[in-house]
Amino acid sequence: MIRLWVVVTWLVVCAAAAAHPGEQPLSRIAVERMVLAVNESAHVKASPLVLGLKGETNEWVEVEFFNPNPSNADWVGVFSPADFSSAICEAFGVPQYYPMLCTAPIKYQYANFNNNGYSKSGKGKLKLQLINQREDFSFALFSGGLKNPKLVAVSNKITFANPKAPVYPRLAQGKSWNEMTVTWTSGYDFKEAVPFVEWGAKGGQRVLSPAGTLTFDRNSMCGAPARTVGWRHPGYIHTSYLKELWPDSLYTYRLGHRLPNGTNIWSKSYSFKASPYPGQDSVQRVVIFGDMGKAEADGSNEFNDFQPGSLNTTYQIIRDLKNIDMVVHIGDICYANGYLSQWDQFTAQIEPIASTVPYMIGMGNHERDWPGTGSFYGNLDSGGECGVPAQTVFYTPAENRAKLWYATDYGMFRFCIANTEEDWRPGTEQYKFIEQCLSSVDRQKQPWLIFLAHRVLGYSSCTFYEEEGTFEEPMGRESLQELWQKYKVDLAFYGHVHNYERTCPVYQSKCIVSGSDHYSGPFTATTHVVVGGAGAGTSDSEFTTSNIKWSYYRDFDYGFVKLTALNHSSLLFEYKKSSDGNVYDHFTISRDYRDILACSIDNCPRTTLAT
């Protein structure tokens, strides 16, 4: 017989609100309405009982179930920890309700998924993929649909052989060009086991580098569902700094934890190529996108086309990984929206990429925004996370990771990554950063200057911006376009709008030169690119039908951009669709880097030696 204990919470009601197409699918489950409907004839069985016997971090399981009173509204939820009764809930000191769950599942699927005869026979099977998330798992069969869930049966428990094992390494550029950081997740607190990285040049001697450990708790979250039904312990986040790397050299590494008895727990081995020397004249390739999100390979939690968009983008990048040196994901990372289990799911999804090349992130509204927390926008988009998981799960070389704006150089590129969820206007700390980042670049070494931010601070012809009469985030480019022009920013990238759009080189809403597939000669103006179609649904990002002169190329589909610096004088821009990886828009820039060392706007001297 199943026991579910009394839960005490009032914030949980937030999770039951009607979901819009772009909302986190787990929020569609009315957890607070759950009642018992246990049927002794019903059952759920999961196998195999132990996963990861050979060190795997993800495996497929089979869930077989039977309900003597089936309906097409029945669904199966995956819970972790396996004991998901309200006995594990924290009290909030408000009236009690019974019975009630206190946690959302980490994923769910309808019982009739690939079981066409289920509504008559009550028998079904599901193939579900699980990842190592530090705890055991169980599977629960519900009737009543997502809005009125009735618990019918719960399965046996299954677990990974070592649930605490180090998993999902994420590389990132350090604060110096010859430093790579490795961040990963485990179930080991630093008091339990000492974290480190064993690494070295391929074929050479390996050394050990220590790692620091961070985590956060429920009280670090700003509201529901992150503090209520969406809460799940994030594990322990470790970061190690691999320093004094040789340019372009191949390194191998593995993650380790040393137990008090001297035993080492190891991950599998990975490899990466060190960054080029600043200004090095070699081919350098960077992929840029925003708003990807996560999706389940087994079709669970499916909503709003995240599965074909998100997974296709991930797979296309993996297929081309040998020809990619760095990835920049400019906000709206996994759309956890307060359901903390989804951060593990996302880092597992991108592991083949992030374990091999630096995976740099920017802050988006779905990571940061929450009322009363200092975010520029007082909306509920982060689901109560208020930026804490994003700035902990991923490393960035920001001076203050809570603010998450930073500069990073890669060979011939300078990237200035802004945070649109914090004020960027003149007089603010971030405005000073932006100008410093743009003005301090050595264009002889980094001729390609790139500005990136989540919300559109430049130009977008999306309908909701047109309705505002701005074609940008309100107050977006007013103070920044002088900086872009003055410091000759080649390209500005944005997400937030779930489509692709490229402008002509534009300044003060006018094309300085016509849009083209090739630009040559001195810098004229910045080309603005919206590349927010990496996976999140496109339903609210349609283009205006108005004739916008600065809008040169549009695509209402999923995709990403690849920049290739061929040398100091040639840059190739390619927009690729996630569905097939083919190039659908491209252009090149050809110029002598000395052109961008000349003055512009207001930094020219009034007189010269010739006057």
Side-chain angles (χ1 to χ4, degrees):
M1 186 67 176
I2 302 162
R3 289 193 307 162
L4 287 175
W5 303 88
V6 176
V7 63
V8 184
T9 178
W10 63 272
L11 291 173
V12 74
V13 177
C14 174
H20 299 295
E23 289 182 335
Q24 170 43 252
L26 295 176
S27 69
R28 299 181 176 183
I29 301 172
V31 174
E32 85 289 352
R33 296 179 186 170
M34 199 286 299
V35 297
L36 290 175
V38 177
N39 190 312
E40 295 295 340
S41 300
H43 69 260
V44 185
K45 298 178 182 178
S47 61
L49 298 179
V50 182
L51 310 174
L53 291 172
K54 296 182 180 179
E56 301 94 336
T57 58
N58 67 82
E59 285 216 51
W60 290 80
V61 300
E62 183 174 272
V63 182
E64 179 268 330
F65 48 90
F66 171 70
N67 184 358
N69 302 303
S71 80
N72 286 328
D74 294 355
W75 56 279
V76 174
V78 183
F79 288 86
S80 179
D83 292 325
F84 57 90
S85 76
S86 59
I88 65 173
C89 296
E90 292 187 5
F92 287 85
V94 293
Q96 297 181 354
Y97 301 91
Y98 176 83
M100 191 187 296
L101 288 176
C102 70
T103 180
I106 61 174
K107 64 198 302 185
Y108 69 89
Q109 185 55 272
Y110 282 98
N112 61 7
F113 182 76
N114 290 336
N115 293 302
N116 295 330
Y118 173 77
S119 61
K120 294 182 178 179
S121 69
K123 297 179 180 179
K125 290 182 180 179
L126 291 174
K127 288 279 190 179
L128 298 174
Q129 187 180 52
L130 297 185
I131 65 168
N132 191 340
Q133 289 186 262
R134 302 170 300 283
E135 298 281 358
D136 53 7
F137 300 85
S138 63
F139 304 80
L141 176 63
F142 292 88
S143 63
L146 302 180
K147 292 304 180 187
N148 295 287
K150 300 175 178 64
L151 183 59
V152 176
V154 177
S155 75
N156 53 287
K157 299 177 183 180
I158 65 175
T159 188
F160 275 82
N162 182 6
K164 292 187 173 185
V167 291
Y168 319 131
R170 286 90 70 185
L171 299 177
Q173 290 285 102
K175 290 187 176 181
S176 62
W177 71 269
N178 59 350
E179 177 183 65
M180 188 74 76
T181 66
V182 185
T183 300
W184 72 95
T185 307
S186 85
Y188 293 113
D189 187 357
F190 71 93
K191 298 175 183 177
E192 249 184 304
V194 177
F196 61 94
V197 175
E198 181 189 71
W199 65 284
K202 186 175 182 180
Q205 186 177 0
R206 292 193 169 198
V207 298
L208 304 182
S209 289
T213 300
L214 297 174
T215 191
F216 53 89
D217 59 24
R218 189 191 299 263
N219 292 329
S220 303
M221 303 292 95
C222 296
R227 294 186 70 170
T228 56
V229 295
W231 171 255
R232 188 179 191 276
H233 195 280
Y236 299 96
I237 314 301
H238 316 281
T239 298
S240 184
Y241 302 83
L242 315 186
K243 301 183 178 184
E244 298 183 359
L245 305 177
W246 289 67
D248 286 329
S249 297
L250 188 64
Y251 289 85
T252 58
Y253 70 97
R254 59 176 176 166
L255 318 171
H257 290 264
R258 181 162 298 159
L259 302 178
N261 64 7
T263 303
N264 288 332
I265 306 297
W266 296 105
S267 73
K268 68 179 183 180
S269 291
Y270 302 88
S271 64
F272 68 87
K273 188 179 74 170
S275 301
Y277 187 78
Q280 179 177 303
D281 205 350
S282 60
V283 176
Q284 297 147 17
R285 303 147 302 185
V286 180
V287 164
I288 300 171
F289 57 82
D291 305 72
M292 183 164 76
K294 58 155 288 291
E296 299 287 347
D298 58 21
S300 298
N301 297 9
E302 187 45 41
F303 78 118
N304 208 23
D305 289 339
F306 269 61
Q307 188 178 32
S310 174
L311 294 183
N312 282 349
T313 297
T314 302
Y315 297 156
Q316 292 297 349
I317 294 172
I318 292 172
R319 290 188 185 106
D320 193 35
L321 201 53
K322 291 183 179 179
N323 301 307
I324 295 170
D325 298 307
M326 187 165 76
V327 169
V328 185
H329 186 163
I330 46 176
D332 282 9
I333 298 167
C334 68
Y335 292 85
N337 293 10
Y339 291 84
L340 277 299
S341 64
Q342 305 307 287
W343 285 96
D344 287 312
Q345 300 283 337
F346 180 77
T347 53
Q349 176 177 308
I350 64 165
E351 181 196 39
I353 303 168
S355 64
T356 306
V357 300
Y359 197 99
M360 313 304 294
I361 67 158
M363 189 71 80
N365 54 301
H366 283 279
E367 286 80 54
R368 178 65 182 90
D369 294 0
W370 194 257
T373 64
S375 61
F376 192 63
Y377 301 87
N379 56 44
L380 305 174
D381 290 354
S382 77
E385 293 181 8
C386 53
V388 174
Q391 68 202 33
T392 307
V393 172
F394 285 89
Y395 173 86
T396 62
E399 291 301 318
N400 184 339
R401 286 171 68 176
K403 296 181 178 178
L404 213 82
W405 56 67
Y406 61 94
T408 188
D409 293 339
Y410 189 90
M412 292 177 284
F413 288 106
R414 159 66 62 90
F415 298 100
C416 296
I417 300 175
N419 180 354
T420 56
E421 310 317 298
E422 305 281 346
D423 197 346
W424 61 84
R425 294 172 296 175
T428 64
E429 184 180 359
Q430 181 168 198
Y431 182 87
K432 294 175 183 177
F433 153 76
I434 293 171
E435 181 160 27
Q436 193 278 334
C437 183
L438 299 177
S439 64
S440 64
V441 61
D442 181 348
R443 297 301 284 269
Q444 190 168 348
K445 291 182 177 178
Q446 280 86 39
W448 308 115
L449 180 56
I450 315 296
F451 176 85
L452 306 101
H454 176 64
R455 293 175 186 260
V456 178
L457 301 185
Y459 296 84
S460 167
S461 61
C462 180
T463 53
F464 65 75
Y465 280 136
E466 181 188 37
E467 290 168 2
E468 293 175 353
T470 59
F471 295 109
E472 55 164 322
E473 203 66 31
M475 303 175 290
R477 63 176 178 262
E478 276 68 17
S479 59
L480 296 178
Q481 60 184 339
E482 298 302 320
L483 297 181
W484 297 327
Q485 193 72 8
K486 177 179 180 178
Y487 298 112
K488 301 181 179 180
V489 174
D490 296 290
L491 297 164
F493 287 94
Y494 314 97
H496 197 57
V497 179
H498 301 168
N499 58 35
Y500 169 77
E501 184 172 19
R502 168 166 70 101
T503 72
C504 61
V506 57
Y507 176 57
Q508 294 183 341
S509 301
K510 295 182 180 180
C511 291
I512 304 304
V513 297
S514 299
S516 175
D517 292 339
H518 179 71
Y519 303 103
S520 60
F523 171 88
T524 56
T526 303
T527 297
H528 295 260
V529 181
V530 173
V531 60
T538 58
S539 60
D540 61 349
S541 297
E542 294 183 355
F543 293 108
T544 175
T545 57
S546 303
N547 181 23
I548 309 299
K549 292 184 178 180
W550 42 255
S551 182
Y552 179 71
Y553 188 100
R554 304 173 182 177
D555 188 38
F556 193 62
D557 204 348
Y558 301 104
F560 54 94
V561 162
K562 182 177 180 181
L563 293 182
T564 302
L566 300 170
N567 51 50
H568 283 72
S569 302
S570 301
L571 179 71
L572 170 64
F573 174 108
E574 297 172 297
Y575 163 67
K576 299 185 175 186
K577 286 198 180 187
S578 300
S579 57
D580 57 18
N582 293 332
V583 176
Y584 286 80
D585 182 33
H586 74 280
F587 67 89
T588 55
I589 300 175
S590 298
R591 64 156 182 251
D592 190 320
Y593 77 87
R594 288 173 294 185
D595 293 337
I596 53 175
L597 301 180
C599 60
S600 64
I601 301 294
D602 61 355
N603 66 338
C604 290
R606 297 287 182 183
T607 60
T608 69
L609 292 176
T611 59

